[in-house]
Amino acid sequence: MALAIETENIVKRFPVTNSLGDVFAFWKRPTVEVLRGVSLEIEAGEATALLGPNGAGKTTLLKILAGLILPTEGYIEIDGEDVTDGSAARDGRLIYVSNEERSMFWRLSGRENLRVFATLQHLGRAEQSRLIPELLDLVGLTEHADRPVMRYSSGMKQRLAIARGLLVKPSVLLLDEPTRSLDPAGARQMWNFIRTELVEKLGTTLLMATHNTEEAAALCDRVAVLHNGELRAHDTVSSVISMLTGSERWIIRTTGQWNGATASVQALPGVHRVGELTDVEVDGFAVELHVDGSEDRIPVIVRHLVDSGVGVTGVEKAQVSLGAAIEQLSRTA
């Protein structure tokens, strides 16, 4: 499948400001590196979540793709064309929707706002008359189209911003935390809209920055994890969890406590420390092991326990959430 987004070695440095202002010459001004060689490939029609803690560089990457700021180094292609200079946003192939949408005319209605922005996009009256009702229906705002935007809820404003972006039928949509200001019910409604209407029906390529790992898993085909400006993983949720943790977690249930067997199991190959967690955590008669990603090690551990006089009643693989994997990355990086 063709690539909708391709970045190669994207680096972004910002000058560091200080209380002395411009006393120092610009060529001596120190810089901070926000993005460090980010190379990313996203296929057309794919939904990808961009995850990472505050300061990881998520919004900076989206703004570079949108042409709002230029990279210090690196190369960007959208739909196979070089847009490192920000031209993808100018020709309408790519739209960026911020989580703090302040560019609407709040005293105008939703419909009037779309007319204003459609005119700025050089859409004629006939095209506006056909397209604007379609978009209002698509984002679920037909009943509220003639209300002033100042009376819209946060979710309605976000949907209106998406409708504005779709005026030019972009092939790529960038969303920056689209559900941050929504309650759980509103967030689920927004998730459903993004997945079914934008990705599945329209075939829009989506790159969405979010802190919500549940949102990422529900909406997206793949997730990309930024940490300290570096791309640490980009794949399906299960693959990314494996990449970030470097181990699998197993629950072994026994008929009695391990006693002296604990230390000897910790010494077995593949059982290792994960962050601040101990190698083997004893909780009654259930023990959690953090083991290198190979199921072949589990029979060896079970046999060792049995030989040590510990009766084993069950073994199960523990589920590690995407959120827990990212937290572990923050602790260990």
Side-chain angles (χ1 to χ4, degrees), residues 5 7 10 12 14 34-35 38 40 42 48-51 56-71 76 78 83 86 88-89 94-100 158 172-178 205-211 224 226:
I5 301 174
T7 72
I10 295 296
K12 183 59 182 178
F14 290 102
V34 178
L35 294 176
V38 175
L40 184 66
I42 298 176
T48 301
L50 191 59
L51 301 170
K58 301 186 299 297
T59 296
T60 299
L61 180 58
L62 291 186
K63 287 183 176 180
I64 286 175
L65 292 173
L68 298 178
I69 56 178
L70 297 178
I76 303 168
I78 300 295
V83 294
L94 180 149
I95 291 296
Y96 170 64
V97 179
S98 170
N99 59 9
E100 295 182 355
Q158 192 71 18
V172 176
L173 182 63
L174 308 178
L175 299 180
D176 195 352
E177 296 190 57
T205 302
L206 173 68
L207 180 59
M208 177 185 70
T210 179
H211 284 94
L226 282 176

Side-chain angles (χ1 to χ4, degrees), residues 140-273:
L141 289 178
T142 299
E143 296 182 3
H144 310 284
D146 297 309
R147 289 174 53 186
V149 170
M150 68 174 66
R151 297 180 185 173
Y152 278 17
S153 67
S154 295
M156 292 164 66
K157 292 173 185 173
Q158 192 71 18
R159 293 200 299 273
L160 183 62
I162 292 173
R164 185 189 66 184
L166 295 176
L167 283 167
V168 294
K169 299 181 181 179
S171 61
V172 176
L173 182 63
L174 308 178
L175 299 180
D176 195 352
E177 296 190 57
T179 62
R180 188 177 73 169
S181 58
L182 304 184
D183 59 30
R188 285 191 293 272
Q189 185 180 24
M190 180 63 75
W191 298 351
N192 183 65
F193 165 72
I194 292 171
R195 184 73 214 184
T196 59
E197 301 296 335
L198 300 185
V199 178
E200 295 177 1
K201 289 186 180 180
L202 298 183
T204 307
T205 302
L206 173 68
L207 180 59
M208 177 185 70
T210 179
H211 284 94
N212 190 323
T213 53
E214 179 187 355
E215 178 178 75
L219 285 177
C220 297
D221 305 299
R222 297 177 184 274
V223 296
V225 180
L226 282 176
H227 186 75
N228 291 333
E230 297 179 347
L231 184 65
R232 301 298 295 270
H234 177 212
D235 211 323
T236 61
V237 171
S238 59
S239 295
V240 165
I241 290 173
S242 179
M243 290 178 197
L244 297 183
T245 59
S247 65
E248 295 177 345
R249 299 184 185 186
W250 294 82
I251 303 296
I252 298 182
R253 303 187 184 280
T254 63
T255 57
Q257 295 196 15
W258 288 29
N259 299 322
T262 299
S264 60
V265 168
Q266 288 184 173
L268 291 176
V271 180
H272 64 96
R273 182 174 299 278

Side-chain angles (χ1 to χ4, degrees), residues 227-228 230 232 326-333:
H227 186 75
N228 291 333
E230 297 179 347
R232 301 298 295 270
I326 292 175
E327 287 180 11
Q328 179 176 311
L329 171 65
S330 299
R331 290 197 304 268
T332 59

